[in-house]
Amino acid sequence: MQTLALIDYGSGNLRSAEKALKEAARRRGVATDIVVTTDPAIVAKADRVFLPGVGAFASCRAGLDASGVYEAMNEAVHQRGAPFMGICVGHQLLATEGLEFGVTPGLDWIGGQVKKLAPSDPSLTIPHMGWNAIAFSRAHALFTGIEDGAHMYYANSFALDAADPADVVATSDHGGAFVAAVAKGNVAGVQFHPEKSQAAGLTLLANFLEWRP
């Protein structure tokens, strides 16, 4: 039985992420204890770490800092090599910094800045809401069984502009390409909401539960 630490730092999609992870584990038959937690001791020893996120970059970073789990996350992910996934703002927090309401430092686990979407077509609205296709930049184990062009569910006004193109796994387009997924070593993030992306999203979560970077 592996343990997955689902970080609770006041994020709005915590329970839907928990439900989707449990369903992904059930469907794939992966014995996983999914623990919603703010306890640094649990996070530090977890086999996998999952960071959700809804809202503004700065407020989510403040919530993460206030939770007291950053050092434990760093120990689990960078000292022990536990696989990590961030979704939506949890993915954006991987960046060096976010440019929403000023400049806010990110975790700097994936180099780059989180910038506001700027569609070339003025008829396209911000926030970018709803279903959109992903286009793979390279193959990755997390997307095994997911077709190029699969549709995922988004709710975002900002996106991570990765400094190193090699970190980009997939993009989507909303009046211009933006980063949909990144991965570097045992760290990964997706801009879309896998917990709202039906079969493709559950496949991604199940792949994460089995991922051996």
Side-chain angles (χ1 to χ4, degrees):
M1 173 76 74
Q2 65 177 347
T3 299
L4 181 149
L6 177 55
I7 306 297
D8 179 5
Y9 64 112
S11 172
N13 63 338
L14 184 70
R15 295 304 169 187
S16 57
E18 178 189 19
K19 182 178 179 181
L21 284 163
K22 287 182 176 179
E23 178 63 15
R26 185 192 69 79
R27 290 191 182 191
R28 190 66 62 88
V30 183
T32 306
D33 184 15
I34 297 164
V35 182
V36 177
T37 185
T38 58
D39 186 341
I42 293 175
V43 175
K45 296 178 181 179
D47 298 300
R48 298 176 187 274
V49 180
F50 196 93
L51 187 67
V54 170
F57 187 101
S59 62
C60 285
R61 178 60 205 253
L64 183 62
D65 291 342
S67 73
V69 300
Y70 170 73
E71 292 300 332
M73 276 176 41
N74 198 55
E75 179 181 342
V77 175
H78 289 112
Q79 295 181 33
R80 293 197 299 101
F84 173 95
M85 176 176 280
I87 63 172
C88 196
V89 183
H91 148 82
Q92 294 178 4
L93 286 170
L94 294 173
T96 305
E97 59 187 14
L99 305 184
E100 185 177 5
F101 305 122
V103 179
T104 303
L107 300 176
D108 199 23
W109 292 2
I110 299 284
Q113 295 179 317
V114 175
K115 300 178 179 179
K116 189 169 185 177
L117 295 174
S120 58
D121 182 347
S123 70
L124 295 175
T125 60
I126 300 294
H128 165 231
M129 298 284 293
W131 296 90
N132 202 339
I134 57 171
F136 293 127
S137 303
R138 60 183 173 95
H140 195 279
L142 286 172
F143 287 88
T144 300
I146 299 174
E147 295 183 356
D148 191 41
H151 282 72
M152 302 295 189
Y153 189 85
Y154 291 86
N156 64 303
S157 299
F158 289 75
L160 198 166
D161 182 12
D164 186 350
D167 293 338
V168 178
V169 174
T171 61
S172 283
D173 192 286
H174 187 67
F178 67 90
V179 172
V182 294
K184 183 178 183 180
N186 60 319
V187 171
V190 295
Q191 178 58 65
F192 53 84
H193 286 273
E195 79 279 13
K196 297 181 180 180
S197 297
Q198 298 182 357
L202 287 176
T203 296
L204 175 71
L205 295 178
N207 288 343
F208 174 68
L209 295 177
E210 296 182 325
W211 185 32
R212 299 285 187 267

